[in-house]
Amino acid sequence: MSARIIDGAAMASEVRAEIAERVRAHMAAGHRRPKLVAVLVGDDPGSQSYVKSKTQGCAEAGMDSDTIRLPAETSHDRVLAEVQRLNEDASVTGILVQLPLPPQVDEQVIVRAIDPRKDVDGLHPYNLGLLMEGSPYTVPATPLGVQQMLLRTGNDPAGARVVIVGRSMLVGRPLSVLLSQRGAGANATVTIAHTGTRDLGVVTREAEILVVAAGVPGMVDASMVRPGAVVIDVGVNRIADASRKSGSRLVGDVDYASVSEVASAITPVPGGVGPMTVTMVISNTLRAAGG
Ligand SMILES: NC(=O)c1ccc[n+]([C@@H]2O[C@H](COP(=O)([O-])OP(=O)(O)OC[C@H]3O[C@@H](n4cnc5c(N)ncnc54)[C@H](OP(=O)(O)O)[C@@H]3O)[C@@H](O)[C@H]2O)c1
């Protein structure tokens, strides 16, 4: 079997066109243009490129955006003050503090300082709590993107056995809650695997839908995948590649070559979950604006 490739870049572009339509309607109804402000501390190339794609995505969706760049040595108090200023600025709809932050900045305090109504990453405990309760307001962007990818490719998780490898607060845990809740686009039977899981391959082979978010290049191979499963690879890992001019390339957590022979559908890396994550931040910004 050769898997269908789930093209996240094409899907993201479609979703952005839909958001642009909704932004036009929102503004036609007399509302202000939604605006996303990203706070970027330091000059990590990965973080810079994520923030750039989010601001480009905003432009495509007809929204305003701005990036506040702070040097890597910025103090915790200075970052906190910036977040508080953005909370109070009525022209700002959504605030995105790009993670990870440098070690002198307490990430948990910063995330908790964001006004939950402007928390477009959905990582504030208030938003995570609402998700847990089954009445989500802002859902973290990567889980939301994964859910959209399943629904938009006709792979409704309802009733399916889903296995998620990874239990981070950014991806695995909120995704498990999202897909196992009652209601449309969910109702799955979800198992979470992690480094404490015994016989990982036995667990992952149970999955009709397998989501891998571990941060370990190529850790899931064909022997760990049930034939016909839908495989969503969240992992983004930079590995050395002497054949590339840059000396490196991006790969996922799934061994794409072998798994695409047994899966029915698979997301590539790059061009899979990443563009949908960016687009869900933009969608969350429109939602925060009430659109
Ligand atoms: N495409 C996107 O938009 C997007 C967004 C976010 C993250 N990512 C990528 O997704 C990956 C995961 O990110 P994250 O923030 O969730 O990472 P993280 O915080 O490091 O969490 C990784 C999780 O995977 C589990 N894990 C690691 N190695 C494992 C193994 N050998 N067997 C079983 N479980 C294992 C860990 O288990 P323990 O809890 O037991 O340690 C942990 O729960 C990274 O490559 C990241 O770059 C991509």
Side-chain angles (χ1 to χ4, degrees):
M1 186 189 298
S2 197
R4 169 185 174 192
I5 298 167
I6 301 176
D7 183 343
M11 191 183 288
S13 164
E14 257 172 51
V15 177
R16 288 207 272 261
E18 292 167 16
I19 297 171
E21 196 52 52
R22 285 166 48 208
V23 169
R24 277 192 286 276
H26 180 69
M27 290 175 64
H31 300 290
R32 200 198 294 251
R33 190 183 294 279
K35 179 177 178 182
L36 173 67
V37 178
V39 178
L40 179 59
V41 187
D43 46 17
D44 173 67
S47 294
Q48 282 183 337
S49 120
Y50 285 132
V51 167
K52 192 170 159 212
S53 53
K54 283 163 190 164
T55 52
Q56 277 173 350
C58 278
E60 222 182 291
M63 292 188 196
D64 285 337
S65 66
D66 197 3
T67 304
I68 293 168
R69 293 170 199 278
L70 300 170
E73 60 279 11
T74 305
S75 71
H76 170 84
D77 288 351
R78 173 76 183 81
V79 179
L80 187 60
E82 199 56 55
V83 168
Q84 284 161 346
R85 187 186 67 75
L86 294 170
N87 282 342
E88 281 155 31
D89 184 341
S91 74
V92 176
T93 325
I95 304 169
L96 180 148
V97 178
Q98 184 63 44
L99 305 179
L101 290 165
Q104 75 278 11
V105 183
D106 186 332
E107 213 163 271
Q108 194 183 51
V109 171
I110 298 298
V111 169
R112 289 182 180 200
I114 300 171
D115 182 333
R117 290 164 300 184
K118 296 189 178 188
D119 166 40
V120 289
D121 259 340
L123 297 176
H124 190 288
Y126 180 82
N127 283 318
L128 291 171
L130 287 179
L131 173 63
M132 192 77 190
E133 193 189 62
S135 49
Y137 174 66
T138 300
V139 176
T142 304
L144 197 55
V146 169
Q147 184 189 41
Q148 280 297 310
M149 293 182 97
L150 292 172
L151 293 174
R152 287 172 181 260
T153 52
N155 294 297
D156 192 328
R161 263 175 284 176
V162 175
V163 175
I164 301 167
V165 183
R167 56 180 162 185
S168 74
M169 287 309 294
L170 193 61
V171 188
R173 224 177 299 185
L175 180 63
S176 71
V177 176
L178 184 66
L179 296 185
S180 60
Q181 68 186 355
R182 204 185 285 272
N187 268 327
T189 302
V190 180
T191 301
I192 307 191
H194 42 73
T195 56
T197 300
R198 206 183 321 121
D199 300 331
L200 182 63
V202 173
V203 176
T204 55
R205 269 196 303 278
E206 283 283 307
E208 293 162 297
I209 296 171
L210 176 61
V211 183
V212 192
V216 181
M219 68 168 278
V220 168
D221 65 20
S223 73
M224 298 169 75
V225 176
R226 174 189 176 119
V230 174
V231 178
I232 308 287
D233 188 356
V234 179
V236 179
N237 312 288
R238 187 164 288 284
I239 61 163
D241 182 348
S243 71
R244 300 284 174 99
K245 208 169 134 193
S246 64
S248 66
R249 70 188 157 98
L250 292 180
V251 295
D253 290 347
V254 172
D255 175 31
Y256 186 86
S258 73
V259 172
S260 58
E261 292 299 314
V262 293
S264 63
I266 187 167
T267 59
V269 178
V273 176
M276 281 299 282
T277 294
V278 170
T279 301
M280 291 303 111
V281 170
I282 294 159
S283 173
N284 282 345
T285 305
L286 175 57
R287 189 182 158 92

